[in-house]
């Protein structure tokens, strides 16, 4: 057992607001949303950062779940942003790989 926050969600020890789940990924609403839609999509297997992503299939499952959720949550046509933050300069705070799916408002570019 590890102490990772998102692994605890995968094991059901902490219960996030889940919006999608299959054998490979879990998706839930961010606790501190930065947009009207702010979902985190995570692989169920612990992968700390993008640098440790060793499974293209699993990465694809994360991406596919995000696209399907964008359609289901009706932000696909207007558009949305997907972000993986990696390590310190990327602004990563939780060291279990997660894809941010953000939408429902105009996003600024470039990011801060
Ligand atoms: P990072 O900065 O690592 O890319 O993003 C971590 C995200 O996890 C943040 O957007 C933060 O709000 C979210 N987060 C942190 N703790 C929790 C939690 O306990 N529950 C949920 N649902 N989201 C969390
Ligand atoms: Zn983990």
């Amino acid at each position: 057992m590890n102490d990772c926050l998102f692994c605890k969600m995968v094991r059901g020890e902490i219960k996030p607001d889940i919006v999608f789940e299959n054998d490979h990924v879990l998706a839930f609403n961010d606790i501190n949303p930065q947009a009207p839609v702010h979902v985190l999509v995570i692989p169920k297997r612990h992968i700390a950062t993008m640098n440790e992503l060793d499974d293209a299939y699993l990465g694809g499952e994360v991406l596919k779940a995000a696209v399907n959720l964008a359609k289901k949550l009706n932000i696909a046509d207007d558009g949305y942003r997907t972000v993986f933050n990696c390590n310190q300069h990327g602004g990563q705070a939780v060291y279990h790989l997660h894809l941010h799916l953000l939408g429902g408002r105009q996003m600024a570019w470039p990011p801060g």
Side-chain angles (χ1 to χ4, degrees), residues 8-97:
K8 287 181 179 170
M9 293 179 180
V10 172
R11 294 196 297 263
E13 296 164 17
I14 294 173
K15 299 201 185 306
D17 183 12
I18 293 173
V19 293
F20 177 75
E21 180 171 13
N22 67 16
D23 287 347
H24 306 286
V25 305
L26 181 69
F28 51 88
N29 286 315
D30 196 292
I31 204 168
N32 183 22
Q34 302 302 310
V37 173
H38 188 172
V39 172
L40 301 177
V41 185
I42 69 171
K44 286 192 167 177
R45 176 159 73 81
H46 182 82
I47 296 171
T49 82
M50 281 291 272
N51 291 336
E52 283 77 41
L53 179 57
D54 57 359
D55 183 337
Y57 180 85
L58 188 54
E61 284 288 320
V62 170
L63 295 178
K64 189 169 60 135
V67 173
N68 288 341
L69 278 166
K71 292 175 179 170
K72 186 174 148 193
L73 298 171
N74 291 313
I75 58 171
D77 287 346
D78 283 343
Y80 53 88
R81 180 163 294 165
T82 48
V83 179
F84 289 103
N85 294 325
C86 182
N87 281 338
Q88 186 179 348
H89 282 188
Q92 185 171 5
V94 177
Y95 280 78
H96 179 130
L97 185 70

